[in-house]
Amino acid sequence: MSETKLWGPATGVGSLPGGDAREAAKTVTGSFEDFPFLAELPARGPGADMIGRTLGLLVDLYAHVEPSGWRISDRPGRDTRRARSWLGEDLDALEEFTQGYEGPLKVQAVGPWTLAAALELRGGEAALADPGACRDLAASLAEGLREHLADVARRVPGARIVLQLDEPSLTAVLLGQIRTASGYRTHRAVDRQVVESALRDVIAAHDGPVVVHSCAPGVPFALLRRAGVAGVSFDFGLLTERDEEPLGEAVEAGTKLFAGVVPSTDTALSDPGGSVMGVRTLWRRLGLNPGTLAESVVVTPTCGLAGASPAYARAALAHCARAARSLADNPE
């Protein structure tokens, strides 16, 4: 299978505006004929948000909505059923619009550390505060993902599934910046080896490539590479000089970069070539071969598009595809 078949030149991050699953699937498959993704539509309400959607996938662990957020439950309730129902709708729509499709297909779920930072235990404190709860959560997530990915594979038999784990809170977990329920303190930083180990266990749930996405600053490229990711998805505009060495090492080790270069909220879009100019410049600065650009980079929006207008979201996805073509045609 060629490199393009493994990935495709451009794709979306995950979320889209609106609440119509068929419209979202039609937009995604129309925008990315060679790398569609399973859209998320958080505007529908709790359970369609990325945390609730992933909690609906867990095995033998349940949650319900409290005013403060998602909290662990003894049994599946209305919120879990709603999350599963919406995911089923989204999968039905994707299946309809991918008849006969062969190639890469991306599905997203929240990773174990962002989930542990967001899910409350019965007393209201984050699961992050309890190492045992973190282990249980990661194990339940891995099991749930195996079942979910098998379902996607049955529905779209020609797909090569790419799993994206959304970890926007990962850096804050590593730096001890997640606030406690009172808001006055922060949870202790989690040991890097513990973080890496849980990620590795969840990544092992998929026998295909796994990408970790974070649109927060300070993405831990080296840690993610050690945990076994095939790609890292990030907001290109947040890179600093400090990120350049680990990013260059990741590229040389074969890690795919999902470069978020197209703004995720309504704005005037530059020409497609201008959107990837920074990527070309970075390549030169790192002394990397320009000929490897198109095979090393997947072009995406900077983050999910849930906060955009429907018209802008469609334009942004189309712009990603055109910017990727520009990168392939003019790597210099």
Side-chain angles (χ1 to χ4, degrees):
M1 201 180 267
S2 71
E3 181 68 24
T4 46
K5 274 293 185 189
L6 290 179
W7 300 99
T11 191
V13 171
S15 66
L16 290 177
D20 185 329
R22 288 186 78 255
E23 185 59 37
K26 184 179 169 188
T27 297
V28 164
T29 52
S31 304
F32 303 117
E33 290 170 11
D34 39 17
F35 201 177
F37 63 97
L38 177 63
E40 298 164 357
L41 303 172
R44 293 180 296 197
D49 60 301
M50 69 178 199
I51 298 292
R53 186 183 182 90
T54 300
L55 290 171
L57 295 175
L58 298 180
V59 172
D60 296 333
L61 263 180
Y62 312 105
H64 64 277
V65 179
E66 291 276 338
S68 53
W70 287 90
R71 187 169 293 186
I72 210 150
S73 301
D74 293 324
R75 61 184 66 83
R78 186 185 59 193
D79 297 327
T80 301
R81 287 194 295 274
R82 195 165 47 197
R84 290 175 178 172
S85 167
W86 275 327
L87 178 59
E89 255 180 55
D90 296 336
L91 287 166
D92 289 345
L94 184 74
E95 186 178 352
E96 179 186 342
F97 285 95
T98 50
Q99 293 294 310
Y101 174 72
E102 291 185 5
L105 167 69
K106 184 165 71 69
V107 299
Q108 306 82 224
V110 176
W113 294 106
T114 297
L115 210 53
L119 177 63
E120 297 174 1
L121 300 174
R122 287 177 182 82
E125 206 49 85
L128 190 64
D130 181 339
C134 290
R135 283 192 296 274
D136 291 347
L137 199 51
S140 174
L141 176 61
E143 194 54 41
L145 284 171
R146 278 187 201 98
E147 293 178 9
H148 176 48
L149 296 169
D151 183 25
V152 177
R154 277 192 300 273
R155 289 166 175 270
V156 194
R160 176 188 165 82
I161 299 170
V162 175
L163 171 63
Q164 174 182 304
L165 295 174
D166 290 317
E167 281 284 15
S169 301
L170 181 61
T171 303
V173 166
L174 288 163
L175 297 176
Q177 293 172 342
I178 301 291
R179 294 215 163 274
T180 56
S182 69
Y184 295 123
R185 294 186 306 107
T186 54
H187 291 286
R188 186 181 292 129
V190 181
D191 181 87
R192 295 181 85 82
Q193 283 178 309
V194 173
V195 168
E196 191 183 316
S197 170
L199 281 168
R200 192 179 292 115
D201 290 348
V202 175
I203 287 166
H206 182 38
D207 58 7
V210 177
V211 175
V212 168
H213 166 74
S214 171
C215 42
V219 175
F221 288 97
L223 182 149
L224 293 174
R225 200 156 55 86
R226 287 195 305 273
V229 303
V232 183
S233 169
F234 57 97
D235 180 342
F236 189 82
L238 295 179
L239 287 180
T240 65
E241 221 173 284
R242 202 174 54 235
D243 297 313
E244 291 186 4
E245 190 180 335
L247 189 142
E249 287 169 358
V251 172
E252 288 179 333
T255 306
K256 199 84 170 176
L257 301 184
F258 284 59
V261 295
V262 177
S264 53
T265 49
D266 293 39
T267 186
L269 291 167
S270 67
D271 68 293
S275 294
V276 286
M277 185 71 74
V279 182
R280 292 192 189 97
T281 305
L282 175 66
W283 233 246
R284 277 199 298 274
R285 212 162 50 237
L286 293 174
L288 296 166
N289 172 8
T292 64
L293 244 179
E295 69 193 41
S296 300
V297 173
V298 176
V299 176
T300 73
T302 53
C303 210
L305 291 161
S309 66
Y312 178 79
R314 286 192 295 273
L317 296 181
H319 194 85
C320 288
R322 287 197 296 271
R325 273 200 296 279
S326 160
L327 205 53
D329 295 344
N330 310 301
E332 305 278 357

